[in-house]
Amino acid sequence: MNTTRHYSIQKHSTMIHIFVAFLLVSTSLGPVLSLQSVPDSGHRQLQNCTLNPYKDIQKLRRVQAYLKKINKPAVKTIQSPDGDVIDCVPSHLQPAFDHPQLKGQRPLKPAVRPKGHNLTEAVSESFQLWRDTGESCPKGTVPIRRTTEQDILRASSVRRYGRIRRHVRRDSTGYGHEHAVVFENGDQYYGARASLSVWAPRVTNEYEFSLSQIWIISGSFGNDLNTIEAGWQVSPELYGDNYPRFFTYWTSDAYQTTGCYNLLCSGFVQTNKKVAIGAAISPRSSYNGRQFDIGLMVWKDPKHGHWWLEFGPGLLVGYWPAFLFSHLRSHANMVQFGGEIVNTRSSGFHTSTQMGSGHFAEEGFRKAAYFRNLQTVDWDNNLVPLTNIHLKADRANCYDIRQGRNRVWGTYFYYGGPGRNLLLSFETA
């Protein structure tokens, strides 16, 4: 066993024993002061309550059981400058292979890319912070961001960790999710591709996030919604910081019980040893300065039917097995590109969480966030331009979008905004 990993497990075990002893002593001393959340508020207050040692011990045991299940044995560990620990896990031991339909198998060989795909675009070799160390994972392993106790305890529950908090609809703001997106529907889609600029938008509290991504969608926006999602996100609740991070997500039942972020459940199969899903992206774009974007492509392998993910110039990250889905086993009926935020109204009015660069689309290059070279994949595995484009901004005075087309960027758009601003100064919504 790796020495660092062995020490970490010993330390966590010792901490639990100490905490359990503390709980037992505390209950003999009567009521104590504790921190308790106030619903719909970003504040916390002190209240008198009695600790429930059995409940707390059970929760800690569930946390430890989950950590033991999700953090696989590593042959090497890498300490990232941002505090993450990256475990180099043998590829056949990654979480995906806990799934009953994948047990005993190994990752598939790379799929055939769509025709018309250009691999000549350059990208920085150091596109994630953990790679700045100069360390890399050995052949036959995949890099996985280690999940910590603190990660899980920030979630509403162990069961909900790594999942979107509630059932959401793309076409509704009723659940606090707001979008500025380009989408195309009305046909059968077998993938999508775009390059999107990377920023570090401000997120005002840990229960909100800001992201930019590609959605592959099938089914209705009811209980049978299937989605595949990939992009970058800032999520203090999920990661404990405000770095933009490369992420994936999937669901086959409208975010209810299936699917998860990244590799936090059995689903996505990673095949690449250079990219850590959930790790911080570096460099990032700066206002009126250098712009940095990442290429993303998701497409359905014509041979096996699995959905593959490519990051940057030809880095195949891995695939979502077709059996995870119902509608997406055949094709998608919508593709979508753009930004999303969560508005919790924690202060009683609209959030100041930013989308994209935090600036409106009208400001343009070097100031507003963008997507460029938007394409879809057709039934014959060809990359083709979008032909039936729709734009949607759920709250245009907070986050807006402007689309265009030219020879260099093909179909592109600018999007984003500051959230609550002077335009909303007299509103309470």
Side-chain angles (χ1 to χ4, degrees), residues 345-360:
R345 294 172 49 90
S346 61
S347 299
F349 44 79
H350 194 283
T351 183
S352 295
T353 285
Q354 299 174 335
M355 180 189 292
S357 69
H359 293 261
F360 287 115

Side-chain angles (χ1 to χ4, degrees), residues 289-304:
R290 181 190 177 190
Q291 302 300 288
F292 176 75
D293 61 33
I294 56 173
L296 290 176
M297 182 170 67
V298 178
W299 81 101
K300 189 175 177 61
D301 172 20
K303 184 176 181 180
H304 298 288

Side-chain angles (χ1 to χ4, degrees), residues 30-152:
V32 296
L33 287 173
S34 72
L35 285 173
Q36 190 166 50
S37 297
V38 180
D40 299 320
S41 171
H43 306 289
R44 294 175 184 268
Q45 66 182 17
L46 286 171
Q47 293 186 345
N48 279 318
C49 64
T50 302
L51 287 170
N52 184 335
Y54 178 78
K55 184 177 179 181
D56 292 331
I57 291 169
Q58 289 300 106
K59 181 176 182 179
L60 283 171
R61 285 176 176 167
R62 287 195 296 271
V63 168
Q64 287 299 309
Y66 180 83
L67 287 172
K68 185 176 180 181
K69 178 182 178 181
I70 204 69
N71 289 330
K72 302 300 184 181
V75 300
K76 179 180 179 179
T77 60
I78 300 169
Q79 184 70 52
S80 177
D82 62 347
D84 282 354
V85 174
I86 304 298
D87 289 325
C88 301
V89 175
S91 59
H92 65 286
L93 296 180
Q94 63 181 288
F97 292 102
D98 290 337
H99 196 286
Q101 294 195 47
L102 290 175
K103 277 189 178 296
Q105 298 184 32
R106 291 179 179 268
L108 296 176
K109 293 181 179 180
V112 176
R113 290 177 174 83
K115 295 182 281 290
H117 184 34
N118 182 4
L119 295 176
T120 62
E121 289 188 20
V123 70
S124 169
E125 279 299 314
S126 182
F127 48 81
Q128 290 191 308
L129 276 176
W130 71 276
R131 295 294 304 277
D132 289 352
T133 63
E135 296 285 338
S136 61
C137 283
K139 185 178 180 180
T141 68
V142 293
I144 301 178
R145 178 184 180 270
R146 184 183 298 177
T147 301
T148 68
E149 256 181 44
Q150 290 72 27
D151 289 335
I152 302 174

